[in-house]
């Protein structure tokens, strides 16, 4: 599998106290562990099992994922912005790999 | 032509059809589901159109003599001919063809001159597809000619079967709004089309919200529009209606391709919509259907009708209205010379092919009806014979024109029944169980008691197999008594059958085009005479 | 209605009982209330491999009026569990969207667990169809 690529959409600036919408996508096959290959053998499970978003080190939103989540997991959620800072996004793979991305935001 | 006889009986005149007695400050003109029919056609309305659950027996689920009684229409009258299947062949002889873009233009111009600055002309979609010429030009003939009629907005469904790139190309050049508030980019879930356009007519602020066919990527090939997601999205409609009111709209119109029962449900759940111009299910209703304060309008299909709705809007409320479903009797309404000329020019390069005769029919060929139509019977016969199949499946489309007994079946007629961008005829084996699953699945898409789970259209047409159906039953329990006609034996769930069909939504489907298969069949059957189809038994 | 040249063969599925048990376990045995939580999903899936689902829970998201987590279940998939969203006061609102796999027509169930221990549920039937046909 190619290295998963995260993509993030959020505003560059917000008013203090504003609730913004954040959208994230990451490329990943989310192999469910229920599919069989051509020889009829089960293809082992490999999914992203945890996604989290922190702002300046504080937890904002997270999700535990099961194999029922689609390939290229998509999340849309909100965040209340009280100060300028940095959002950090983390995806944890079954194989132990961790993928991260960061996005700054300014406050008007 | 035939109009001479009706005129002699003084039953029809252009003035009688179009004199209106204007009311109020806004006029909505609604045209929908013309399916690329540029010239007058015969189109037989259904003799069976079942509603399920609470809408059973309610318009538009009323046909034939019941319809005439409900709307107090005299049998044999022009209205009876236009609106029902009763005595269709005989009345077609009396009243002639209906529709034609040049006649529609005459009606529009008359309304516009009478109601200057007050008219909104709205196209409900299924405009660019359904004819030989529209397929050859990938919708361009319809786009160019509709532009001459200057619509104010449109929405769509079959438009999308030209593929995302072509749709974008056309819409980028449209001099009016293509609205689809329920179409979103599938990746980031962001609006892919404008939802609402604000107009001012007769001093009234009018919001038109577009609603494309919610199940386009399910009923039609998703691979052609991979980046667009549709759906009813009731919460989006509600938000758009609220936003329109907040922006000062005094009249909110939903230009919808949901289908009638979906719109009836929506009107009962989303407040604040004044008028829903319905489409997709091809219903022609001579009166509005009221759901609370919302007025539902159904303007038929194939250019047979145009709705004129005059509204008196005061203080954000409809105080008075006058409605007419105007039947476009082509022998009565004078063609508009400019549009007639443009239509003729547009068709000229194809005229010889359009007129080419394939066979003669002794049976009235039509498509509308919940379970079968004679044109589909003909298509199924062709599929069985040419593709050497046990069973034929033909989609239950509601578009396609009628051919009268004694008439030639032309290339134009055939294409009006099957012109589409995914015409391949597949031939594959399916188990009896799979056939049952398919029949149940399609039946549930039509007869699910919750309208939001319905897709419109009609039951898949079946050749070579009989079955019984109980529309009111639950999924899995509707279809029974499946029988292979050539042996008279019950369909065996574990046995394989050779099935031929067309209009598969799967990208990799291979096979000859449906029109070639039917043309092949007609070469060996120059006179079409079909026995009455008794293969579908409605029970329950 | 003619795109039927390849229906998926279904693996073993979770049943409604397994889902009810999973819901009860997540809710700590509390009888779930309704009304506070809204699950939004299409009536008919365009693609069973990627069905958008959204949840939204009425909450101030501060003090004791806080949604701690929302679990998503599906009663016709091989396993009922789909995802658990965890919210914080910095979430601002208790709403989230993701995309899920649906093996066949089934109910999607969303259960919210509040800081005060109360539990709310909403569900929606999503139909997975082979499609085709139309007007
Ligand atoms: Mn349609
Ligand atoms: Mn249509």
């Amino acid at each position: 599998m190619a290295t998963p690529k995260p993509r993030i959409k959020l505003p560059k600036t917000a008013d203090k106290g504003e609730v913004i919408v954040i959208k994230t996508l990451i490329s990943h096959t989310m192999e469910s562990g229920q599919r069989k290959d051509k020889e009829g053998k089960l293809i082992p499970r490999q999914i992203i099992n945890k996604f989290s978003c922190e702002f300046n080190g504080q937890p904002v939103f997270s999700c535990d994922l099961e194999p029922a989540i689609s390939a290229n997991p998509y999340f849309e959620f909100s965040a209340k912005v009280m100060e300028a800072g940095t959002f950090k996004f983390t995806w944890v793979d079954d194989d132990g790999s961790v993928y991260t991305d960061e996005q700054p935001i300014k406050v008007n | 032509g035939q109009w001479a006889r009706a005129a002699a009986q003084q039953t029809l005149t252009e003035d009688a059809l179009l004199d209106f007695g204007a009311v109020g400050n806004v006029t909505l003109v609604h045209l929908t589901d013309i399916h690329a029919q540029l010239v007058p056609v015969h189109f037989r309305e259904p003799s069976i159109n079942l509603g399920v659950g609470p809408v059973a027996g309610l318009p538009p689920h009323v046909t034939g003599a019941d319809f005439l009684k409900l709307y107090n229409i005299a049998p044999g009258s022009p209205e009876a001919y236009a609106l029902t299947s009763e005595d269709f062949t005989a009345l077609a002889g009396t009243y002639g063809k209906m529709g034609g873009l040049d006649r529609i233009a005459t009606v529009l111009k008359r309304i516009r001159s009478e109601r200057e600055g007050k008219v909104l002309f709205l196209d409900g979609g299924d405009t660019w597809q359904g004819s030989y010429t529209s397929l050859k030009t990938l919708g361009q003939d319809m786009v160019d000619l509709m532009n001459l009629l200057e619509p104010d907005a449109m929405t769509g469904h079959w438009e999308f079967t030209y593929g995302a790139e072509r749709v974008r190309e056309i819409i980028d050049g449209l001099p009016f709004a293509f609205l689809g508030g329920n179409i979103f980019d599938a990746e980031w879930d962001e609006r892919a089309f404008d939802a609402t356009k604000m107009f001012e007519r007769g001093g009234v602020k009018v919001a038109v919200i577009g609603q494309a066919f919610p199940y386009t990527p399910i009923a039609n090939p998703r691979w052609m529009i991979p980046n667009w997601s549709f759906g009813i999205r009731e919460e989006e409609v509600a938000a758009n209606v609220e936003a329109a009111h907040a922006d000062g709209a005094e009249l909110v119109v939903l230009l919808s391709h949901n289908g009638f029962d979906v719109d009836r449900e929506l009107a009962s759940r989303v407040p604040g919509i004044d008028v829903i111009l319905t489409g997709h299910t091809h219903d022609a209703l001579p009166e509005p259907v009221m759901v609370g304060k919302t007025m539902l309008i159904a303007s038929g299909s194939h250019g047979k009708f145009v709705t004129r709705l005059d509204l008196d809007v005061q203080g954000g409320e409809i105080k008075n209205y006058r409605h007419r479903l105007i039947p476009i009797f082509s022998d009565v309404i004078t063609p508009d010379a400019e549009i007639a000329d443009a239509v003729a020019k547009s068709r000229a390069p194809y005229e010889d092919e359009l007129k080419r005769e394939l066979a003669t029919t002794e049976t009235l060929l039509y498509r509308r009806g919940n379970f079968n139509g004679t044109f589909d019977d003909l298509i199924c016969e062709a599929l069985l014979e040419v593709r050497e199949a046990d069973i034929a499946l033909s989609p239950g489309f509601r578009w396609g024109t009628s051919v009268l007994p004694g008439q030639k079946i032309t290339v134009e007629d055939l294409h009006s029944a099957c012109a589409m961008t995914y015409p391949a005829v597949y031939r594959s084996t399916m188990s009896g169980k799979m056939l049952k699953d398919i029949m149940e699945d399609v039946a549930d898409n039509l007869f699910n008691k919750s309208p939001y789970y319905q897709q419109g259209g009609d039951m898949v047409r079946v050749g070579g197999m009989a079955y019984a159906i109980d529309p009111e039953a639950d999924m899995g329990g509707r279809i029974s008594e499946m029988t292979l006609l050539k042996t008279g034996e019950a369909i065996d769930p574990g046995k394989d059958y050779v099935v031929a069909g067309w209009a598969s939504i799967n990208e990799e489907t291979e096979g000859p085009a449906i029109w070639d298969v039917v043309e092949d069949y007609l070469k060996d059957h120059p006179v079409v005479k079909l026995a009455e189809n008794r293969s579908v038994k409605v029970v329950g | 209605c003619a795109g039927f040249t390849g229906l998926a063969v279904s693996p073993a599925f979770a049943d409604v009982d397994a889902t009810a048990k999973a819901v009860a376990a997540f809710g700590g045995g509390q009888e779930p209330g309704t009304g506070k939580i809204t699950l939004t999903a299409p009536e008919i899936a365009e693609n069973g491999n990627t069905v958008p689902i959204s949840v939204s829970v009425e909450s101030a998201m501060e003090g004791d009026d806080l949604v701690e987590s929302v679990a998503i279940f599906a009663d016709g998939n091989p396993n009922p569990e789909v995802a658990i969203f965890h919210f914080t006061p910095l979430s601002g609102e208790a709403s989230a969207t993701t995309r899920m796999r649906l093996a066949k027509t089934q109910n999607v169930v969303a259960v919210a667990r509040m800081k005060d221990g109360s539990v709310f549920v909403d569900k929606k039937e999503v139909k997975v169809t082979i499609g085709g046909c139309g007007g």
Side-chain angles (χ1 to χ4, degrees):
Chain A
M1 196 171 70
T3 307
K5 268 201 202 67
R7 285 184 290 163
I8 314 286
K9 276 200 171 193
L10 60 83
K12 286 191 170 62
T13 63
D15 294 333
K16 186 173 191 283
E18 187 182 342
V19 176
I20 62 163
V21 173
I22 299 175
K23 297 179 180 186
T24 71
L25 268 170
I26 188 163
S27 56
H28 195 287
T29 53
M30 295 291 281
E31 192 57 61
S32 68
Q34 287 139 9
R35 291 198 318 145
K36 286 178 181 162
D37 64 16
K38 284 189 188 107
E39 282 86 52
K41 281 196 306 187
L42 271 186
I43 303 171
R45 167 184 145 150
Q46 189 188 342
I47 67 168
I48 285 172
N49 58 55
K50 182 89 191 170
F51 165 76
S52 59
C53 168
E54 292 178 351
F55 182 69
N56 291 349
Q58 299 293 310
V60 174
F61 169 82
S62 65
C63 181
D64 306 319
L65 292 72
E66 298 290 336
I69 294 294
S70 307
N72 307 327
Y74 173 81
F75 292 105
E76 183 177 329
F77 53 94
S78 54
K80 191 173 188 172
V81 181
M82 299 304 292
E83 57 185 342
T86 302
F87 286 100
K88 184 176 180 191
F89 305 91
T90 307
W91 292 261
V92 181
D93 197 304
D94 273 350
D95 72 1
S97 307
V98 174
Y99 320 110
T100 62
D101 200 357
E102 292 188 356
Q103 292 279 323
I105 192 164
K106 286 182 192 151
V107 168
N108 293 325
Chain B
Q2 302 293 352
W3 155 228
R5 243 177 302 161
Q9 298 159 7
Q10 293 193 315
T11 45
L12 285 175
T13 65
E14 183 170 312
D15 280 341
L17 286 179
L18 303 184
D19 269 357
F20 194 84
V23 163
N25 40 14
V26 177
T27 293
L28 303 180
V29 179
H30 183 224
L31 174 70
T32 191
D33 293 271
I34 190 169
H35 283 284
Q37 297 301 324
L38 290 169
V39 297
V41 297
H42 287 120
F43 182 89
R44 173 196 172 278
E45 299 293 336
S47 56
I48 176 164
N49 180 11
L50 298 177
V52 285
V55 304
L58 297 180
H61 306 292
V62 184
T63 54
D66 295 336
F67 188 102
L68 299 180
K69 212 170 138 193
L70 177 68
Y71 291 108
N72 201 17
I73 296 168
S77 64
E79 292 82 1
Y81 164 63
L83 291 162
T84 73
S85 60
E86 297 285 284
D87 299 320
F88 182 80
T89 301
L91 295 180
T94 306
Y95 299 117
K97 292 184 173 181
M98 297 188 68
L101 208 65
D102 48 7
R103 276 79 167 179
I104 291 169
T106 298
V107 173
L108 252 174
K109 281 186 183 173
R110 182 163 167 156
I111 296 171
R112 280 178 168 145
S113 71
E114 199 182 314
R115 301 279 288 167
E116 214 173 308
K118 299 185 175 70
V119 178
L120 270 178
F121 172 39
L122 301 169
D123 172 3
D126 279 358
T127 305
W128 305 343
Q129 172 274 344
S131 69
Y132 180 87
T133 55
S134 64
L135 186 64
K136 288 286 168 193
T137 62
L138 301 178
Q140 196 63 45
D141 65 334
M142 291 309 296
V143 172
D144 293 342
L145 290 161
M146 284 299 291
N147 282 352
L148 297 177
L149 267 53
E150 299 178 25
D152 291 292
M154 76 177 289
T155 188
H157 166 200
W158 277 89
E159 282 71 14
F160 296 102
T161 62
Y162 290 115
E165 207 176 310
R166 176 68 178 140
V167 169
R168 269 281 169 240
E169 177 186 45
I170 292 176
I171 290 176
D172 287 348
L174 280 187
F176 56 90
F178 189 105
L179 302 175
N182 58 332
I183 312 173
F184 283 69
D185 148 62
E187 189 167 54
W188 290 107
D189 196 32
E190 279 159 11
R191 203 173 277 299
F193 290 78
D194 290 340
T196 307
K197 176 144 185 188
M198 282 285 203
F199 298 91
E200 190 168 324
R201 292 292 186 276
V204 177
K205 249 185 130 173
V206 185
V208 176
I209 301 170
Q211 175 86 348
F213 177 50
Y215 296 127
T216 302
I218 301 167
N220 305 93
R222 189 177 75 237
W223 62 267
M224 293 182 172
I225 44 169
N227 297 324
W228 290 333
S229 170
F230 293 61
I232 295 171
R233 297 178 188 253
E234 182 191 277
E235 64 290 345
E236 284 295 329
V237 178
N240 288 328
V241 170
E242 230 173 272
H245 283 294
D247 283 355
E250 297 160 273
L251 181 74
V252 174
V253 177
L254 186 71
L255 178 61
S256 170
H257 205 93
N258 275 334
F260 197 91
D261 287 336
V262 177
D263 279 327
R264 174 163 29 210
E265 178 82 355
L266 186 76
S268 75
R269 296 169 55 95
V270 176
I273 307 172
D274 298 296
V275 179
I276 302 184
L277 301 173
T278 73
H280 180 62
T281 38
H282 294 194
D283 313 294
L285 298 181
E287 292 171 15
V289 169
M290 296 302 300
V291 177
K293 286 182 166 178
T294 305
M295 193 182 289
L296 269 65
I297 305 296
S299 305
S301 65
H302 296 80
K304 276 182 78 177
F305 304 94
V306 165
T307 290
R308 172 173 174 179
L309 178 63
D310 279 20
L311 300 165
D312 189 27
V313 182
Q314 303 292 340
E317 268 186 61
I318 298 173
K319 295 290 185 193
N320 193 11
Y321 74 88
R322 184 165 291 157
H323 166 275
R324 188 183 293 162
L325 179 71
I326 301 169
I328 310 295
F329 287 106
S330 66
D331 293 331
V332 179
I333 296 171
T334 316
D336 176 84
E338 178 205 344
I339 303 299
D341 187 50
V343 168
K345 278 205 181 89
S346 155
R347 286 166 57 88
Y350 310 100
E351 202 62 55
D352 290 346
E353 182 65 2
L354 289 170
K355 280 198 280 224
R356 188 162 63 84
E357 294 169 354
L358 304 173
T360 304
T361 184
E362 289 187 5
T363 307
L364 170 68
L365 298 181
Y366 65 91
R367 178 170 269 165
R368 280 298 305 274
N370 281 145
F371 305 105
N372 54 263
T374 48
F375 216 128
D376 295 312
D377 291 342
L378 168 62
I379 289 172
C380 284
E381 287 300 316
L383 289 168
L384 290 174
E385 187 175 305
V386 177
R387 298 294 276 162
E388 296 173 344
D390 301 321
I391 292 166
L393 297 178
S394 187
F397 296 137
R398 289 188 169 190
W399 45 268
T401 56
S402 307
V403 187
L404 301 182
Q407 287 189 335
K408 301 290 182 193
I409 304 169
T410 63
V411 166
E412 174 155 40
D413 297 327
L414 174 57
H415 275 77
S416 290
C418 57
M420 53 143 65
T421 52
Y422 46 107
V425 174
Y426 61 83
R427 184 178 188 276
S428 61
T429 53
M430 293 183 193
S431 69
K433 180 188 182 304
M434 191 170 170
L435 276 164
K436 165 85 155 73
D437 288 349
I438 287 168
M439 303 286 287
E440 289 285 355
D441 191 84
V442 178
D444 194 65
N445 288 341
L446 308 177
F447 299 120
N448 192 302
K449 282 190 184 64
S450 172
Y452 280 9
Y453 291 82
Q454 296 172 9
Q455 295 182 21
D458 286 309
M459 191 62 193
V460 57
R461 276 52 172 144
V462 180
M465 187 179 86
Y467 68 95
I469 179 167
D470 176 1
E472 294 278 351
D474 289 330
M475 182 154 172
R478 289 191 180 90
I479 307 292
S480 60
E481 297 175 41
M482 288 166 60
T483 308
L484 188 65
L485 287 176
K486 72 179 179 189
T487 62
E489 285 170 11
I491 297 285
D492 180 345
K495 216 180 133 187
D496 278 347
Y497 300 88
V498 176
V499 179
W502 63 289
S504 168
I505 55 175
N506 297 333
E507 186 170 7
E508 65 278 12
T509 307
E510 283 174 10
I514 182 65
W515 45 83
D516 289 335
V517 169
V518 177
E519 187 171 340
D520 270 4
Y521 174 84
L522 291 175
K523 273 180 195 144
D524 294 336
H525 302 267
V527 178
V528 172
K529 189 171 177 153
L530 297 160
E532 195 187 338
N533 186 333
R534 297 176 185 276
S535 300
V536 185
K537 192 166 84 183
V538 181
V539 297
Chain C
C1 40
F4 338 109
T5 40
L7 286 178
V9 181
S10 312
F13 291 111
D15 52 29
V16 177
D17 277 357
T19 306
K21 272 181 202 150
V23 168
F26 177 78
Q30 290 266 332
E31 184 61 32
T34 54
K36 233 177 153 81
I37 177 168
T38 305
L39 170 70
T40 305
E43 285 77 14
I44 307 179
E46 290 176 359
N47 176 356
N49 289 324
T50 171
V51 182
I53 49 152
S54 298
V55 290
S56 173
V57 190
E58 285 171 36
S59 163
M61 291 309 281
E62 54 190 27
D64 284 339
D65 187 7
L66 190 74
V67 182
E68 284 188 332
S69 48
V70 173
I72 309 293
F73 302 100
D75 66 14
N77 270 356
N79 298 301
E81 292 81 10
V82 177
I84 304 175
F85 302 130
H86 303 279
F87 299 98
T88 73
L90 277 182
S91 303
E93 284 171 10
S95 61
T97 298
T98 188
R99 293 174 187 149
M100 65 175 291
R101 295 168 166 149
L102 285 175
K104 60 173 185 177
T105 299
Q106 58 189 287
N107 289 306
V108 178
V109 184
V111 190
R113 199 169 57 204
M114 316 295 283
K115 192 180 176 189
D116 67 7
S118 58
V119 176
F120 297 90
V121 67
D122 193 17
K123 74 172 180 181
K124 182 154 181 181
E125 186 185 27
V126 180
K127 192 177 158 178
V128 178
T129 169
I130 45 182
C133 275

